Amino acid sequence: MLAEFEEKQYEQHLNIELLQGSNLIFPPGQHLENFLGFDAALFTRNRDFWRHFLGGYPWYRRFFRNYLNGLYFPRDVYALEEAFDNDLPKFKFNAFVQHKRPERMIKETSSEWDSWGHEYYRYKVLDHQQKTLEALESSVGHEGVVTYASPVFHTKEEFWNVHKNQSFVPNSNFCQPHKLVGHSAYTYVCPGTVGIAHSEPENVESKHLIDELERLSQAGNNSEIKNTAFVARSCDLIEESLERQEKAFKLYSDIVRDLDDHQADAPKLLRNLYRLSVFKFVSGTSLYFGVANDSFNKQIQGARQRLRR
């Protein structure tokens, strides 16, 4: 039985908890509206993209009944690049999270029952997602984090209790994509990092997302790269991860081309940020920028206040 709640609901609540409970990551998409007081609109004829892009910003829908056929940028948007470089904490690493909605397997006739001997959770390893995540893992190496995340609860009642207790992270199971190479499914019973890859059962143990975020935030980083350059480099990384998948890369390229055709005067950073949003739409993978352990609160609050003046 599939989880009673939608994958998007789990994704949103897990992401909120990660942001509220940790100062180690900065979400370029989710914070763009609050950061800018942003009421600009980009142009693409791809309606599926707009349903994704505007879905996280419901205030847009109060102003626009149709998908826009033009481009407008308020004056404040041109302060974006300076703010990213001077007011935000230093971006240090990329974190990619692929959220999964599991099935709860309760019958002894279930394919993987022999591996556990009791009820367990399972999600399918989708080829297009797995290839993208493998490419990302290969690119970031030990200087970033790429992981699957899946809940260890099933019903809406359980979801609500986890929400009330703000415990999505401790009630999730995390698995590194390279542990699932050559497999078609992953099963688990407990929160944490332990599970079994299938079809040929293979016990796997991954690294925990929070442990990796803390490790990377504390690691030495002598790079002098600016945040805007870090964003541009992240765009190159995600495009490289899609190139091996003809269909996904074509969709990504078509949407970005639509946007580029109508934003010749837009700041480069803003164009890069919507490239990241297109990647999220095409791949379903969330991207965060990791920051130093002690740098987030002070600088991000100052940046928000400065841009709202």
Side-chain angles (χ1 to χ4, degrees):
M1 298 183 295
L2 274 173
E4 294 179 0
F5 45 87
E6 297 297 322
E7 183 175 294
K8 190 68 176 180
Q9 293 174 300
Y10 167 69
E11 173 186 337
Q12 290 173 337
H13 284 77
L14 178 66
N15 289 350
I16 290 171
E17 190 170 298
L18 286 170
L19 297 173
Q20 292 178 339
S22 169
N23 292 327
L24 306 180
I25 55 176
F26 174 85
Q30 294 178 22
H31 272 285
L32 187 58
E33 179 221 347
N34 290 334
F35 182 63
L36 284 175
F38 188 70
D39 62 355
L42 306 176
F43 175 86
T44 178
R45 295 180 177 86
N46 190 299
R47 288 176 174 266
D48 287 337
F49 171 74
W50 276 116
R51 277 190 281 270
H52 162 76
F53 190 84
L54 299 185
Y57 304 91
W59 60 274
Y60 269 101
R61 301 191 186 279
R62 297 200 298 268
F63 298 100
F64 305 121
R65 299 303 179 194
N66 299 307
Y67 301 111
L68 303 189
N69 59 1
L71 179 67
Y72 165 71
F73 294 106
R75 182 168 50 188
D76 284 350
V77 79
Y78 293 95
L80 181 61
E81 293 194 15
E82 180 181 355
F84 257 64
D85 285 335
N86 299 325
D87 297 332
L88 288 179
K90 189 81 167 179
F91 297 155
K92 297 183 62 177
F93 60 91
N94 292 118
F96 296 91
V97 180
Q98 181 68 61
H99 305 82
K100 301 293 287 187
R101 180 190 184 190
E103 299 173 276
R104 188 173 183 179
M105 314 307 293
I106 61 175
K107 295 182 178 180
E108 294 183 9
T109 55
S110 299
S111 300
E112 303 84 8
W113 188 270
D114 288 344
S115 294
W116 295 104
H118 52 79
E119 295 182 8
Y120 60 94
Y121 295 92
R122 178 183 72 186
Y123 60 76
K124 298 293 181 63
V125 178
L126 303 180
D127 186 61
H128 69 282
Q129 287 181 347
Q130 179 66 17
K131 286 181 178 178
T132 299
L133 297 173
E134 287 176 22
L136 290 171
E137 260 191 321
S138 176
S139 297
V140 303
H142 295 295
E143 297 179 358
V145 56
V146 185
T147 188
Y148 286 103
S150 188
V152 191
F153 47 91
H154 175 73
T155 66
K156 290 181 178 179
E157 181 180 3
E158 290 172 327
F159 185 101
W160 178 245
N161 287 332
V162 171
H163 168 68
K164 286 194 298 183
N165 294 322
Q166 297 183 9
S167 57
F168 281 89
V169 172
N171 281 286
S172 293
N173 184 282
F174 300 96
C175 182
Q176 295 168 281
H178 73 268
K179 302 284 189 176
L180 302 182
V181 173
H183 293 286
S184 60
Y186 175 74
T187 65
Y188 58 95
V189 296
C190 298
T193 59
V194 173
I196 300 177
H198 304 269
S199 298
E200 292 296 328
E202 179 183 351
N203 293 326
V204 299
E205 183 171 2
S206 300
K207 295 179 180 178
H208 199 285
L209 173 60
I210 298 301
D211 292 341
E212 285 297 280
L213 293 179
E214 291 177 349
R215 175 184 68 81
L216 290 163
S217 71
Q218 296 169 8
N221 187 346
N222 297 320
S223 173
E224 295 301 324
I225 186 173
K226 293 183 177 180
N227 282 348
T228 48
F230 185 94
V231 175
R233 190 172 66 179
S234 299
C235 289
D236 294 339
L237 187 154
I238 63 171
E239 289 178 356
E240 291 173 5
S241 75
L242 289 174
E243 285 179 351
R244 288 188 281 173
Q245 302 171 67
E246 182 177 353
K247 184 177 180 180
F249 188 64
K250 183 181 184 302
L251 176 60
Y252 172 89
S253 300
D254 287 347
I255 296 174
V256 169
R257 188 180 304 110
D258 251 351
L259 292 164
D260 283 341
D261 285 346
H262 294 81
Q263 54 70 52
D265 297 326
K268 180 180 178 180
L269 176 61
L270 190 60
R271 299 201 305 269
N272 285 337
L273 289 175
Y274 72 61
R275 288 165 69 192
L276 299 181
S277 291
V278 176
F279 170 77
K280 173 64 168 70
F281 165 67
V282 171
S283 69
T285 303
S286 298
L287 165 64
Y288 302 97
F289 298 145
V291 301
N293 193 24
D294 59 353
S295 65
F296 189 92
N297 275 339
K298 182 177 179 181
Q299 286 182 277
I300 190 64
Q301 294 299 331
R304 288 175 178 167
Q305 293 172 4
R306 189 167 305 181
L307 280 178
R308 286 174 175 171
R309 289 173 184 169

PDB file of all heavy atoms in Angstrom, residues 263-275:
ATOM      1  N   GLN A 263      14.610  36.988 -21.794  1.00  0.00           N
ATOM      2  CA  GLN A 263      15.183  37.624 -20.609  1.00  0.00           C
ATOM      3  C   GLN A 263      16.599  38.129 -20.879  1.00  0.00           C
ATOM      4  O   GLN A 263      17.455  38.061 -20.007  1.00  0.00           O
ATOM      5  CB  GLN A 263      15.171  36.666 -19.427  1.00  0.00           C
ATOM      6  CG  GLN A 263      15.835  35.326 -19.684  1.00  0.00           C
ATOM      7  CD  GLN A 263      17.324  35.405 -19.819  1.00  0.00           C
ATOM      8  OE1 GLN A 263      17.993  35.968 -18.961  1.00  0.00           O
ATOM      9  NE2 GLN A 263      17.855  34.892 -20.893  1.00  0.00           N
ATOM     10  N   ALA A 264      16.822  38.662 -22.073  1.00  0.00           N
ATOM     11  CA  ALA A 264      18.172  39.088 -22.450  1.00  0.00           C
ATOM     12  C   ALA A 264      18.747  40.113 -21.478  1.00  0.00           C
ATOM     13  O   ALA A 264      19.966  40.187 -21.286  1.00  0.00           O
ATOM     14  CB  ALA A 264      18.154  39.650 -23.863  1.00  0.00           C
ATOM     15  N   ASP A 265      17.892  40.915 -20.859  1.00  0.00           N
ATOM     16  CA  ASP A 265      18.369  41.973 -19.962  1.00  0.00           C
ATOM     17  C   ASP A 265      18.337  41.575 -18.494  1.00  0.00           C
ATOM     18  O   ASP A 265      18.684  42.385 -17.628  1.00  0.00           O
ATOM     19  CB  ASP A 265      17.525  43.244 -20.152  1.00  0.00           C
ATOM     20  CG  ASP A 265      17.664  43.817 -21.551  1.00  0.00           C
ATOM     21  OD1 ASP A 265      18.771  43.704 -22.120  1.00  0.00           O
ATOM     22  OD2 ASP A 265      16.681  44.369 -22.075  1.00  0.00           O
ATOM     23  N   ALA A 266      17.924  40.358 -18.209  1.00  0.00           N
ATOM     24  CA  ALA A 266      17.834  39.932 -16.810  1.00  0.00           C
ATOM     25  C   ALA A 266      19.224  39.660 -16.244  1.00  0.00           C
ATOM     26  O   ALA A 266      20.143  39.271 -16.966  1.00  0.00           O
ATOM     27  CB  ALA A 266      16.983  38.679 -16.699  1.00  0.00           C
ATOM     28  N   PRO A 267      19.428  39.880 -14.936  1.00  0.00           N
ATOM     29  CA  PRO A 267      20.723  39.580 -14.324  1.00  0.00           C
ATOM     30  C   PRO A 267      21.093  38.110 -14.510  1.00  0.00           C
ATOM     31  O   PRO A 267      20.236  37.227 -14.474  1.00  0.00           O
ATOM     32  CB  PRO A 267      20.498  39.907 -12.838  1.00  0.00           C
ATOM     33  CG  PRO A 267      19.337  40.845 -12.827  1.00  0.00           C
ATOM     34  CD  PRO A 267      18.470  40.431 -13.977  1.00  0.00           C
ATOM     35  N   LYS A 268      22.372  37.859 -14.681  1.00  0.00           N
ATOM     36  CA  LYS A 268      22.848  36.495 -14.912  1.00  0.00           C
ATOM     37  C   LYS A 268      22.478  35.580 -13.762  1.00  0.00           C
ATOM     38  O   LYS A 268      22.090  34.423 -13.968  1.00  0.00           O
ATOM     39  CB  LYS A 268      24.361  36.502 -15.110  1.00  0.00           C
ATOM     40  CG  LYS A 268      24.943  35.116 -15.357  1.00  0.00           C
ATOM     41  CD  LYS A 268      26.446  35.166 -15.547  1.00  0.00           C
ATOM     42  CE  LYS A 268      27.019  33.763 -15.755  1.00  0.00           C
ATOM     43  NZ  LYS A 268      28.494  33.795 -15.934  1.00  0.00           N
ATOM     44  N   LEU A 269      22.588  36.062 -12.528  1.00  0.00           N
ATOM     45  CA  LEU A 269      22.286  35.204 -11.386  1.00  0.00           C
ATOM     46  C   LEU A 269      20.833  34.769 -11.407  1.00  0.00           C
ATOM     47  O   LEU A 269      20.521  33.613 -11.101  1.00  0.00           O
ATOM     48  CB  LEU A 269      22.591  35.937 -10.079  1.00  0.00           C
ATOM     49  CG  LEU A 269      22.229  35.166  -8.808  1.00  0.00           C
ATOM     50  CD1 LEU A 269      23.005  33.855  -8.707  1.00  0.00           C
ATOM     51  CD2 LEU A 269      22.473  36.017  -7.574  1.00  0.00           C
ATOM     52  N   LEU A 270      19.931  35.675 -11.762  1.00  0.00           N
ATOM     53  CA  LEU A 270      18.524  35.308 -11.802  1.00  0.00           C
ATOM     54  C   LEU A 270      18.279  34.235 -12.857  1.00  0.00           C
ATOM     55  O   LEU A 270      17.518  33.288 -12.636  1.00  0.00           O
ATOM     56  CB  LEU A 270      17.664  36.537 -12.085  1.00  0.00           C
ATOM     57  CG  LEU A 270      16.159  36.341 -11.911  1.00  0.00           C
ATOM     58  CD1 LEU A 270      15.842  35.930 -10.477  1.00  0.00           C
ATOM     59  CD2 LEU A 270      15.407  37.592 -12.277  1.00  0.00           C
ATOM     60  N   ARG A 271      18.929  34.345 -13.981  1.00  0.00           N
ATOM     61  CA  ARG A 271      18.806  33.320 -15.007  1.00  0.00           C
ATOM     62  C   ARG A 271      19.314  31.977 -14.475  1.00  0.00           C
ATOM     63  O   ARG A 271      18.729  30.923 -14.727  1.00  0.00           O
ATOM     64  CB  ARG A 271      19.590  33.724 -16.267  1.00  0.00           C
ATOM     65  CG  ARG A 271      19.085  35.020 -16.903  1.00  0.00           C
ATOM     66  CD  ARG A 271      19.485  35.134 -18.364  1.00  0.00           C
ATOM     67  NE  ARG A 271      20.914  35.008 -18.596  1.00  0.00           N
ATOM     68  CZ  ARG A 271      21.768  36.034 -18.616  1.00  0.00           C
ATOM     69  NH1 ARG A 271      21.322  37.261 -18.362  1.00  0.00           N
ATOM     70  NH2 ARG A 271      23.047  35.841 -18.867  1.00  0.00           N
ATOM     71  N   ASN A 272      20.416  32.018 -13.724  1.00  0.00           N
ATOM     72  CA  ASN A 272      20.944  30.773 -13.165  1.00  0.00           C
ATOM     73  C   ASN A 272      19.992  30.176 -12.138  1.00  0.00           C
ATOM     74  O   ASN A 272      19.848  28.952 -12.041  1.00  0.00           O
ATOM     75  CB  ASN A 272      22.312  31.012 -12.535  1.00  0.00           C
ATOM     76  CG  ASN A 272      23.398  31.180 -13.578  1.00  0.00           C
ATOM     77  OD1 ASN A 272      23.265  30.718 -14.707  1.00  0.00           O
ATOM     78  ND2 ASN A 272      24.481  31.854 -13.211  1.00  0.00           N
ATOM     79  N   LEU A 273      19.328  31.016 -11.367  1.00  0.00           N
ATOM     80  CA  LEU A 273      18.395  30.504 -10.371  1.00  0.00           C
ATOM     81  C   LEU A 273      17.207  29.818 -11.020  1.00  0.00           C
ATOM     82  O   LEU A 273      16.716  28.796 -10.522  1.00  0.00           O
ATOM     83  CB  LEU A 273      17.934  31.643  -9.445  1.00  0.00           C
ATOM     84  CG  LEU A 273      18.991  32.162  -8.474  1.00  0.00           C
ATOM     85  CD1 LEU A 273      18.456  33.366  -7.702  1.00  0.00           C
ATOM     86  CD2 LEU A 273      19.434  31.071  -7.498  1.00  0.00           C
ATOM     87  N   TYR A 274      16.716  30.354 -12.131  1.00  0.00           N
ATOM     88  CA  TYR A 274      15.612  29.621 -12.748  1.00  0.00           C
ATOM     89  C   TYR A 274      16.100  28.383 -13.467  1.00  0.00           C
ATOM     90  O   TYR A 274      15.337  27.424 -13.650  1.00  0.00           O
ATOM     91  CB  TYR A 274      14.726  30.515 -13.606  1.00  0.00           C
ATOM     92  CG  TYR A 274      15.251  31.020 -14.919  1.00  0.00           C
ATOM     93  CD1 TYR A 274      15.626  30.160 -15.951  1.00  0.00           C
ATOM     94  CD2 TYR A 274      15.325  32.392 -15.161  1.00  0.00           C
ATOM     95  CE1 TYR A 274      16.075  30.640 -17.160  1.00  0.00           C
ATOM     96  CE2 TYR A 274      15.773  32.884 -16.366  1.00  0.00           C
ATOM     97  CZ  TYR A 274      16.145  32.008 -17.375  1.00  0.00           C
ATOM     98  OH  TYR A 274      16.594  32.482 -18.575  1.00  0.00           O
ATOM     99  N   ARG A 275      17.356  28.323 -13.863  1.00  0.00           N
ATOM    100  CA  ARG A 275      17.912  27.052 -14.362  1.00  0.00           C
ATOM    101  C   ARG A 275      17.830  25.979 -13.273  1.00  0.00           C
ATOM    102  O   ARG A 275      17.510  24.813 -13.541  1.00  0.00           O
ATOM    103  CB  ARG A 275      19.353  27.247 -14.827  1.00  0.00           C
ATOM    104  CG  ARG A 275      19.499  28.013 -16.118  1.00  0.00           C
ATOM    105  CD  ARG A 275      20.923  28.483 -16.338  1.00  0.00           C
ATOM    106  NE  ARG A 275      21.859  27.392 -16.610  1.00  0.00           N
ATOM    107  CZ  ARG A 275      23.183  27.555 -16.607  1.00  0.00           C
ATOM    108  NH1 ARG A 275      23.715  28.734 -16.324  1.00  0.00           N
ATOM    109  NH2 ARG A 275      23.966  26.522 -16.881  1.00  0.00           N
TER     110      ARG A 275
END
